[in-house]
Amino acid sequence: MFVSTTLYKLNKYSKETFQIEADDIRFVADYLMSIYEWTMYDMVLFSEIMWMMNIETVKTLVKELICRDSFYYGILNNKQFSIVILINIYCRMILGSDRQSCRFFKNRISEMLSDYSGLVEEKIYFNFASAFEDYTFNNSQDGLYKMENIIDYTSKLELFKISSHLKSQYDNLLAQLQEKTTIYENDK
């Protein structure tokens, strides 16, 4: 499955099209629903395939993640990765214009981040996603300005990995939002 998801992700960089079978996606979803406690392997599996799942399946599985990773949640790497997954899903809900789910994920991530002061990178990503939500739902230029400032500040602090990733996400999210707006306008 990891090979399939990697090939799927590479589609955006090549002219080839690779599709993952719906049965494979269902198999992974069924597997994740069947296990009692999610380990790091299960969280990585979910994070890799969640972009190919329909949104309702993602919502169901993320609730399972929240409930079933508690045993390993005390391990810092697991906690960090759980937050990153939730931030990615939060962004997906923003792009899907699901305000109710956005509120849920925003509150949940805030709670998780408030438990531990050392999650600086995750807080940066969360602030960036919150600014993206503001820009998307409120057409707020302030949200756009905040995203650009976060990218600029991380670069000035020589957090080049973070600033590069955020710039890539900025471009990607705005392109997806533009594509969504274009489709909506063409449907009128």
Side-chain angles (χ1 to χ4, degrees):
M1 184 49 69
F2 285 119
V3 173
S4 296
T5 56
T6 302
L7 290 171
Y8 179 84
K9 287 179 179 181
L10 287 174
N11 282 341
K12 69 180 180 180
Y13 300 110
S14 72
K15 293 179 174 42
E16 299 296 318
T17 302
F18 180 82
Q19 294 294 321
I20 296 178
E21 299 294 324
D23 288 343
D24 291 337
I25 294 171
R26 271 191 298 282
F27 176 80
V28 171
D30 290 344
Y31 162 75
L32 291 172
M33 290 294 292
S34 72
I35 55 176
Y36 181 70
E37 291 174 345
W38 286 31
T39 63
M40 182 60 83
Y41 170 82
D42 303 310
M43 291 191 301
V44 169
L45 179 62
F46 176 59
S47 74
E48 290 296 317
I49 199 167
M50 73 181 174
W51 300 104
M52 293 157 258
M53 293 177 163
N54 72 51
I55 201 69
E56 293 307 316
T57 302
V58 170
K59 285 181 188 180
T60 301
L61 287 172
V62 77
K63 288 175 186 170
E64 295 300 317
L65 167 69
I66 290 168
C67 293
R68 296 182 185 195
D69 78 335
S70 59
F71 182 76
Y72 298 97
Y73 190 70
I75 302 170
L76 182 59
N77 286 343
N78 286 42
K79 181 176 186 170
Q80 289 172 300
F81 197 59
S82 291
I83 293 170
V84 168
I85 291 171
L86 292 178
I87 292 170
N88 286 329
I89 293 171
Y90 173 46
C91 289
R92 187 159 177 202
M93 297 301 138
I94 295 167
L95 289 168
S97 300
D98 187 341
R99 291 175 189 247
Q100 183 177 357
S101 293
C102 284
R103 275 192 301 276
F104 170 80
F105 288 110
K106 188 173 191 174
N107 291 337
R108 179 69 179 153
I109 296 164
S110 291
E111 287 173 21
M112 293 170 78
L113 288 172
S114 69
D115 289 345
Y116 187 73
S117 63
L119 300 172
V120 176
E121 189 171 334
E122 291 77 10
K123 288 178 182 179
I124 291 169
Y125 289 130
F126 179 60
N127 287 333
F128 182 84
S130 296
F132 179 63
E133 178 187 18
D134 186 35
Y135 173 70
T136 303
F137 289 153
N138 303 321
N139 198 23
S140 166
Q141 292 305 306
D142 188 49
L144 191 65
Y145 180 71
K146 285 178 185 174
M147 288 189 292
E148 291 168 351
N149 276 339
I150 291 169
I151 294 168
D152 187 47
Y153 290 142
T154 54
S155 180
K156 286 178 181 174
L157 291 171
E158 297 183 4
L159 302 171
F160 299 121
K161 177 183 157 203
I162 295 172
S163 65
S164 174
H165 180 72
L166 288 174
K167 176 63 173 135
S168 173
Q169 291 302 312
Y170 175 84
D171 294 340
N172 185 34
L173 292 170
L174 291 181
Q176 288 182 48
L177 192 58
Q178 180 61 39
E179 181 180 308
K180 183 178 143 186
T181 304
T182 302
I183 291 169
Y184 174 75
E185 289 173 355
N186 290 340
D187 287 344
K188 285 184 180 180

